[in-house]
């Protein structure tokens, strides 16, 4: 245990962050909102294109919550959510007193299954309650089946919240992830493709929706000299200091994407001749994945003592962080009893899947250590 720890996904500094942070300090603008926030939003809007309007918030979770608020989700409503995802995709449904309806993944992208999505919608309608919203996730930066999912949503007139928390820089048919749904969501948590230390953003398709988002995110203060509130508000706006970090990070976004994709290629060379381990890769020319995390499926081989947990422990013994895939939401205690539609694809992926170290700043020595663990484990 003499080696430094290799973490799953650490941020990489650009060297420009301090300039923008210092500006916030020099201007004494160290609260929420401010010039850095405005500039960060403008740069994101330019990057995303497609008439995108961005409101910078304090987390991706806040962004999902406000999207539900803006779409009118209320107590007792039903919201369909991809089951194989991080809990932040689903928790805001409960914030609104709504009911999560979980849908399985399909094996090609690991994202929400079109067939089971339509089955779920039809069954909920038969039961007397049409789902209010669909939350679809670009898991680990891999685009979901956009054409199929959005065609179903359009057929039943159900808006989509596009959870792109892990997918900044990914695209489908040349269009950036986060710009397909009624709302898109980004996360700038410390482990994401770029970071603001903490933070997120809500993407919409109009200036009016952006203004409504900022209104809700700043305690819903009505236009009055005194503090007047006619609607419930939230303290969700991004801070000017955090936005300064984001401005510095945006300068290396493309570099980070290239790095993450390069790490995926690094794992491809290691696993190409190992029959028990399959590296997940996007095999569709319509999709461009940022490979925020590189992930694998491990087939059990009792004769060689190969399984997912033994590989994870081998990494841990070498002081290298390696984690299971997200545990599906329909298997989580907090969501027990919520309806689920599927064929256990998400469960099977969780039982076999691992996330591998994928940080943009992995060094050559880090990669050599990772490779040695894998080769020694297989031997």
């Amino acid at each position: 245990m003499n080696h430094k720890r290799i973490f799953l996904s650490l941020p990489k500094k650009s060297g420009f962050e301090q300039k923008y942070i210092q500006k916030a300090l020099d201007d004494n603008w160290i609260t929420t909102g401010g010039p850095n926030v405005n500039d960060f939003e403008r740069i994101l809007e330019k990057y995303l294109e497609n008439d995108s309007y961005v409101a910078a918030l304090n987390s991706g979770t806040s962004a999902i919550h406000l999207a539900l608020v803006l779409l009118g989700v209320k107590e007792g409503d039903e919201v369909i959510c991809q089951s194989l995802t991080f809990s932040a995709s689903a928790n805001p449904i409960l914030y609104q007193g709504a009911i999560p309806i979980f849908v399985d993944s399909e094996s090609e992208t690991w994202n929400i299954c079109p067939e089971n999505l339509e089955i779920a919608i039809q069954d909920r309608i038969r039961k007397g309650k049409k789902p209010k919203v669909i939350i679809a996730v670009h898991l680990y930066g891999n685009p979901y089946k956009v054409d199929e999912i959005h065609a179903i949503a359009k057929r039943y007139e159900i808006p989509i919240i596009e959870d792109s928390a892990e997918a900044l820089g990914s695209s489908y048919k040349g269009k950036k992830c986060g710009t397909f749904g009624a709302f898109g969501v980004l996360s700038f948590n410390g482990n994401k493709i770029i970071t603001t230390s903490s933070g997120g953003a809500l993407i919409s398709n109009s200036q009016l929706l952006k203004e409504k988002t900022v209104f809700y995110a700043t305690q819903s203060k009505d236009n009055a000299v005194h503090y007047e509130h006619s609607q419930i508000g939230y303290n969700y706006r991004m801070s000017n200091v955090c936005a300064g970090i984001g401005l510095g990070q945006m300068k290396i976004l493309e570099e980070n994407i290239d790095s993450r994709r390069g790490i995926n290629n690094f794992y491809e060379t290691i696993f190409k001749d190992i029959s028990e381990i399959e590296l997940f890769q996007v095999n569709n020319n319509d999709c461009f994945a940022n490979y925020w995390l590189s992930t694998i499926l491990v087939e059990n081989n009792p004769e060689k003592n190969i399984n997912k947990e033994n590989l994870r422990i081998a990494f841990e013994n070498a002081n290298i962080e390696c984690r299971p895939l997200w545990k599906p939401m329909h298997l989580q205690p907090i969501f027990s009893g919520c309806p689920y539609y599927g064929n256990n694809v998400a469960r099977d992926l969780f039982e076999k899947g691992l996330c591998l170290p994928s940080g943009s700043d992995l060094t050559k020595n880090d990669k050599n250590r990772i490779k040695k663990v894998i080769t020694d484990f297989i031997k």
Side-chain angles (χ1 to χ4, degrees):
M1 200 67 76
N2 295 324
H3 292 293
K4 72 176 180 67
R5 186 160 180 80
I6 298 174
F7 290 94
L8 193 69
S9 181
L10 283 181
K12 178 181 179 180
K13 292 183 290 186
S14 71
F16 294 97
E17 295 89 351
Q18 186 61 45
K19 178 180 78 170
Y20 296 105
I21 295 171
Q22 190 62 50
K23 184 179 185 302
L25 296 173
D26 291 343
D27 294 346
N28 199 28
W29 207 306
I30 52 177
T31 183
T32 54
N36 282 345
V37 175
N38 297 336
D39 290 345
F40 186 46
E41 289 174 342
R42 280 194 289 267
I43 289 174
L44 284 168
E45 288 168 353
K46 183 178 180 181
Y47 177 78
L48 293 168
E49 301 176 321
N50 304 298
D51 294 322
S52 300
Y53 294 82
V54 173
L57 305 172
N58 63 9
S59 71
T61 312
S62 301
I64 293 176
H65 185 203
L66 289 188
L68 293 171
V69 171
L70 287 160
L71 289 169
V73 173
K74 294 181 172 59
E75 185 173 358
D77 286 339
E78 294 188 350
V79 176
I80 288 177
C81 184
Q82 182 169 315
S83 182
L84 187 60
T85 185
F86 181 53
S87 63
S89 301
N91 283 338
I93 301 171
L94 299 185
Y95 298 171
Q96 290 302 100
I99 301 165
I101 309 295
F102 292 112
V103 171
D104 203 2
S105 295
E106 38 79 16
S107 57
E108 183 180 344
T109 73
W110 295 8
N111 290 309
I112 192 165
C113 172
E115 180 181 346
N116 284 304
L117 172 61
E118 188 151 29
I119 289 171
I121 293 170
Q122 291 175 346
D123 189 55
R124 302 320 295 176
I125 291 173
R126 278 195 299 269
K127 287 178 166 59
K129 184 159 285 191
K130 176 181 169 182
K132 195 74 174 280
V133 174
I134 297 166
I135 299 175
V137 185
H138 300 293
L139 193 72
Y140 301 123
N142 307 309
Y144 60 75
K145 294 186 174 182
V146 172
D147 286 344
E148 294 178 53
I149 297 302
H150 285 259
I152 294 168
K154 184 177 180 180
R155 186 154 58 245
Y156 294 94
E157 299 181 321
I158 304 173
I160 288 179
I161 296 173
E162 189 186 348
D163 186 344
S164 302
E166 302 165 0
L168 180 60
S170 300
S171 60
Y172 179 80
K173 292 184 176 179
K175 185 176 179 181
K176 294 289 196 303
C177 291
T179 64
F180 292 96
F183 291 98
V185 171
L186 297 175
S187 172
F188 307 115
N189 188 32
N191 63 0
K192 295 302 189 295
I193 200 88
I194 65 165
T195 184
T196 58
S197 79
S198 63
L202 187 62
I203 306 161
S204 61
N205 58 12
S206 79
Q207 180 66 27
L208 178 60
L209 286 171
K210 174 178 175 175
E211 290 172 359
K212 284 186 175 181
T213 301
V214 174
F215 171 73
Y216 281 121
T218 52
Q219 300 289 18
S220 297
K221 295 190 289 286
D222 292 338
N223 188 17
V225 174
H226 60 278
Y227 287 101
E228 184 84 3
H229 305 274
S230 55
Q231 298 181 64
I232 293 175
Y234 308 90
N235 187 17
Y236 282 173
R237 194 71 162 127
M238 180 177 284
S239 85
N240 200 48
V241 175
C242 288
I245 298 172
L247 286 169
Q249 288 274 291
M250 282 298 291
K251 293 182 180 296
I252 57 168
L253 172 57
E254 294 295 344
E255 179 184 327
N256 285 352
I257 293 168
D258 290 343
S259 176
R260 303 268 174 157
R261 289 174 61 83
I263 291 165
N264 191 265
N265 291 335
F266 158 71
Y267 285 121
E268 182 180 21
T269 62
I270 296 176
F271 294 124
K272 64 180 180 180
D273 296 320
I274 301 175
S275 59
E276 294 90 353
I277 299 177
E278 177 186 354
L279 175 69
F280 177 81
Q281 291 185 309
V282 175
N283 296 310
N284 184 334
N285 291 332
D286 290 334
C287 299
F288 178 86
N290 66 10
Y291 290 123
W292 169 60
L293 292 184
S294 287
T295 55
I296 56 173
L297 298 178
V298 183
E299 291 290 341
N300 291 345
N301 186 331
E303 292 182 3
K304 296 183 180 180
N305 206 29
I306 292 175
N307 60 54
K308 177 190 82 171
E309 181 60 9
N310 285 346
L311 178 56
R312 188 195 66 78
I313 292 171
F315 274 114
E316 187 59 39
N317 289 339
N319 205 22
I320 299 172
E321 185 180 25
C322 179
R323 290 187 180 179
L325 300 187
W326 302 126
K327 183 177 180 180
M329 292 300 100
H330 74 280
L331 300 178
Q332 299 283 356
I334 189 66
F335 296 115
S336 62
C338 291
Y340 161 76
Y341 295 84
N343 304 304
N344 294 318
V345 171
R347 183 200 65 187
D348 293 344
L349 291 170
F350 168 66
E351 290 178 351
K352 297 179 181 179
L354 284 176
C355 300
L356 302 177
S358 305
S360 302
D361 62 344
L362 285 182
T363 65
K364 183 177 180 180
N365 182 59
D366 292 337
K367 291 177 181 178
N368 287 338
R369 285 175 56 195
I370 291 167
K371 183 175 181 179
K372 186 176 188 304
V373 169
I374 296 167
T375 53
D376 288 352
F377 177 76
I378 294 301
K379 288 177 184 178

